[in-house]
Amino acid sequence: LICIIATVLSLVYVNAWQNDLHELMGLPPDVSGEHIRTAIIALLLAFVLLVLARLLRRAYRIVTNRLKRFIPRRISNLLSVTIILFVVLLLADGLVVRNILNMMDNIYAASNSYSDDGPPPENPLSSSSSESLLNWKTLGQAGQNFVMKGPKKSDLKAFFGKKAAEPLRVYAGLRSAETVNERAQLALAELIRIGGFKRSKLIIATPTGTGWHDPSAVDSLEYLHRGDTAIVTMQYSYLPSWLTLLVDPTRSKVSAKALYDAVYDHWTTLPRDSRPDLYIYGLSLGALGAETSASLSSLIREPIQGGVLAGPPFPSSIASQLTRNRNAESTQWLPLIKDSSFVRFTAQDNALKIPNVTWGPVRFVYIQYASDPMVFFSTDLYRRKPDWMKGERGHDVSPSLKWFPIVTFLQLLFDLPMADRIPRGNAHNYAAHSYIDAWVEVTQPLDWTPAETTRLKTHFTGR
């Protein structure tokens, strides 16, 4: 009876909370009766769990009754529990978890291997053209889209009504070379071939788990500098970021560091007055890799100009450390770091303009939305109320959301795979206007005005 009452109250409460979220994110109220379907699914799951529990209890009794014939009762009880647990874990790992992971791996591998049957780009400056060092067929779907679908010189010229350059992009796919270091050297060679080090801005970009780059991030940068840019990137996985985090979270770090070291080492050999400004960029798992790619020694010896990192996932060591050591008057979801001259955080509303504070020579910006579970999930949520739920909350976090032991942990855990499947500008679906604000602060485009920022934001909103 207690469970039935608690379930009914929870479903009513959750329905109200979901409608709060709908309102905060510009969606109509939920009148679909989702809470009723939730109750039905919960009852079915409860029935399955109950059957499994009784089967395990029956198995335990069978095993312990057999063992009692040969060994003392207490030892037989302990040994029976051990045997049952071992068999359950073996079956769960071998038959359930591993098969599910293998199935998902096969699905995403097939998606990654998909390639356009058409001819490669004709422009010799395009990565994977007939003159390129990279093969068109090895880029995969994400790589081919990255190379082909960015803004062209004609688009930039039409938007600005003045001279523009052809943006340069280099993408090394997982199948472009055998090892991560070979892919990095191949990407570097291609970047040199097309003249990437002769542009004013050079960006080492780390993709998401699938190898994807958000057009809102990379396209907006190319608009800001009228195409006088080069972006080099390298694929390290074909699984979604949340799944890559579970399978192997170190992939993005290893790949990002290999590419950074290759490009940075060549960059430092060039004359300082003629080489491009160098930046790092990453979204989601890409941010996790990008933020650790630039070693402390390189930042001291020959510092790069900065970077933009969006949606750093919860295992992010640097973003987490910065947030823990934030200024006392700031919030966890929008922290202020020391004098804000080196790194700043922003969200939907531009928080990068801080009165009476000036940037230093190196500028890093983190973009994170308060409703992003990829950022604010933590492994101790089951036992501790997080700081982002205390005091002032981000505008897209429902005031109805309360912390409950275990429950809140599960809520955010199951939000992770769906964190980018909501209206743009919330959770893990980052909007162009946030990227534009960040790129303007970090890369300081020449002769750029606030009016042009507004016009560019309108252009991307329309797209």
Side-chain angles (χ1 to χ4, degrees):
L1 288 174
I2 291 173
C3 287
I4 291 172
I5 294 171
T7 301
V8 172
L9 291 175
S10 297
L11 290 170
V12 172
Y13 176 82
V14 167
N15 191 57
W17 172 60
Q18 286 291 333
N19 282 329
D20 284 343
L21 278 180
H22 278 236
E23 183 179 352
L24 290 172
M25 298 183 180
L27 295 170
D30 179 17
V31 293
S32 62
E34 190 70 33
H35 55 293
I36 298 175
R37 286 195 291 273
T38 300
I40 295 172
I41 293 171
L43 287 171
L44 292 174
L45 179 59
F47 175 75
V48 171
L49 292 175
L50 183 62
V51 171
L52 287 175
R54 292 188 174 181
L55 287 174
L56 290 175
R57 185 173 63 181
R58 184 173 179 82
Y60 162 78
R61 287 175 175 172
I62 291 173
V63 173
T64 194
N65 287 336
R66 295 286 178 87
L67 292 176
K68 281 179 184 177
R69 300 175 184 175
F70 310 101
I71 56 178
R73 180 177 58 83
R74 290 183 179 180
I75 297 177
S76 68
N77 290 340
L78 178 61
L79 188 57
S80 298
V81 170
T82 303
I83 292 173
I84 295 299
L85 285 177
F86 176 77
V87 172
V88 168
L89 291 174
L90 189 65
L91 290 174
D93 181 59
L95 297 180
V96 181
V97 176
R98 192 166 302 175
N99 283 337
I100 290 175
L101 289 176
N102 287 339
M103 179 185 68
M104 298 185 76
D105 184 73
N106 291 334
I107 291 172
Y108 287 108
S111 175
N112 179 69
S113 62
Y114 169 80
S115 60
D116 193 337
D117 292 330
E122 295 181 0
N123 188 339
L125 294 181
S126 294
S127 186
S128 74
S129 67
S130 58
E131 298 183 23
S132 173
L133 302 176
L134 291 158
N135 189 299
W136 171 249
K137 296 293 185 181
T138 67
L139 299 192
Q141 189 174 24
Q144 290 181 349
N145 288 338
F146 177 78
V147 169
M148 293 293 291
K149 294 188 177 181
K152 303 297 185 286
K153 179 179 178 179
S154 57
D155 300 322
L156 301 176
K157 189 175 180 180
F159 181 81
F160 290 104
K162 59 179 70 173
K163 183 180 177 182
E166 188 73 35
L168 301 179
R169 294 185 175 189
V170 174
Y171 189 102
L174 269 176
R175 296 178 295 155
S176 295
E178 287 294 325
T179 68
V180 63
N181 288 323
E182 288 174 350
R183 288 194 291 274
Q185 291 301 321
L186 186 59
L188 172 63
E190 176 71 359
L191 186 65
I192 295 172
R193 182 192 73 83
I194 63 176
F197 288 95
K198 297 178 181 178
R199 296 300 174 95
S200 66
K201 308 294 178 183
L202 172 59
I203 293 83
I204 304 172
T206 307
T208 63
T210 59
W212 177 76
H213 281 291
D214 189 347
S216 297
V218 290
D219 292 10
S220 60
L221 170 75
E222 292 167 335
Y223 268 87
L224 283 168
H225 296 279
R226 300 185 182 93
D228 190 17
T229 58
I231 303 175
V232 58
T233 186
M234 189 168 78
Q235 187 182 18
Y236 54 86
S237 172
Y238 46 75
L239 299 174
S241 292
W242 66 269
L243 190 55
T244 308
L245 276 173
L246 296 177
V247 176
D248 186 1
T250 64
R251 289 184 188 179
S252 65
K253 294 182 179 181
V254 172
S255 176
K257 180 165 178 53
L259 183 59
Y260 176 86
D261 288 346
V263 175
Y264 177 83
D265 288 346
H266 180 79
W267 179 76
T268 56
T269 65
L270 304 175
R272 293 187 180 183
D273 57 352
S274 61
R275 69 191 183 190
D277 293 336
L278 183 60
Y279 303 91
I280 59 175
Y281 159 74
L283 164 65
S284 189
L285 200 56
L288 176 68
E291 69 171 9
T292 57
S293 62
S295 63
L296 181 61
S297 62
S298 70
L299 290 176
I300 295 174
R301 177 167 53 96
E302 288 271 10
I304 63 174
Q305 279 61 56
V308 171
L309 305 160
F314 61 92
S316 168
S317 57
I318 295 178
S320 298
Q321 183 178 9
L322 289 170
T323 302
R324 283 194 302 271
N325 297 326
R326 66 188 182 275
N327 298 350
E329 73 277 10
S330 63
T331 61
Q332 182 184 9
W333 53 271
L334 194 62
L336 290 172
I337 312 301
K338 304 301 180 183
D339 63 357
S340 298
S341 63
F342 179 72
V343 60
R344 297 180 188 179
F345 284 75
T346 190
Q348 287 94 336
D349 297 327
N350 187 4
L352 300 174
K353 301 290 187 182
I354 304 177
N356 304 318
V357 173
T358 57
W359 279 102
V362 180
R363 305 180 177 199
F364 283 95
V365 166
Y366 280 94
I367 309 171
Q368 59 182 35
Y369 295 159
S371 57
D372 188 350
M374 188 68 78
V375 176
F376 294 106
F377 176 80
S378 59
T379 54
D380 61 353
L381 262 176
Y382 71 93
R383 63 177 178 82
R384 187 175 67 86
K385 185 177 182 179
D387 289 346
W388 56 267
M389 294 185 71
K390 302 173 183 176
E392 182 186 2
R393 295 187 178 186
H395 81 271
D396 53 349
V397 175
S398 171
S400 303
L401 177 62
K402 301 294 190 295
W403 178 81
F404 297 102
I406 301 178
V407 174
T408 306
F409 172 89
L410 293 173
Q411 284 179 312
L412 266 74
L413 178 67
F414 285 99
D415 274 344
L416 291 178
M418 280 73 74
D420 58 350
R421 301 188 182 186
I422 56 170
R424 187 170 285 275
N426 295 285
H428 205 57
N429 196 0
Y430 288 86
H433 69 262
S434 299
Y435 288 116
I436 292 170
D437 288 334
W439 285 125
V440 167
E441 288 295 316
V442 171
T443 63
Q444 308 166 75
L446 292 173
D447 303 322
W448 193 261
T449 65
E452 286 180 304
T453 297
T454 301
R455 192 164 80 93
L456 188 59
K457 288 181 179 180
T458 303
H459 172 71
F460 273 86
T461 301
R463 294 201 320 173

